Amino acid sequence: MRIILLQLAVALLAGLVFLALGHREAVAAAAGATTVALGTALMSVRLFGDVGGAGQALGRLLTGMLLKWIVIVGGLVVILFQFKLPPLAAITGLAAAYAVYLLAFRFKG
């Protein structure tokens, strides 16, 4: 839950930073970061749903990661091609939120 909240905070921060460049850039950055937070939430629900054996836990991890990446790539496609938002801002927001995910495991506590 902590990682998801940090990713949503990064989404807000990225949106505020890109607001200096314009409204569309701010929306793109916030949407890119929010997509990662949504993917992480979906993976967490899948991974921590039931308690089972090691094989079942590995299966849940793999399906959770697959669902996460489907949400992230699908969200990026929608942001870039359907809404035609600026790609640099969207990818920057996505990278910033994913960096939080990676750094959260390095700096626990």
Side-chain angles (χ1 to χ4, degrees), residues 24-108:
R24 292 177 49 81
E25 286 82 1
V27 170
T34 303
T35 301
V36 176
L38 247 146
T40 302
L42 182 64
M43 183 186 76
S44 298
V45 166
R46 180 70 183 138
L47 181 61
F48 300 118
D50 287 332
V51 177
Q56 187 179 14
L58 179 63
R60 289 173 137 334
L61 175 66
L62 293 176
T63 57
M65 286 297 289
L66 181 66
L67 289 172
K68 176 182 177 175
W69 281 106
I70 288 171
V71 167
I72 290 174
V73 171
L76 194 59
V77 166
V78 168
I79 290 167
L80 296 180
F81 296 113
Q82 185 166 355
F83 293 122
K84 296 187 183 353
L85 292 173
L88 180 63
I91 293 171
T92 302
L94 188 141
Y98 201 74
V100 167
Y101 179 79
L102 295 175
L103 290 174
F105 292 111
R106 176 145 174 107
F107 302 109
K108 292 181 187 176

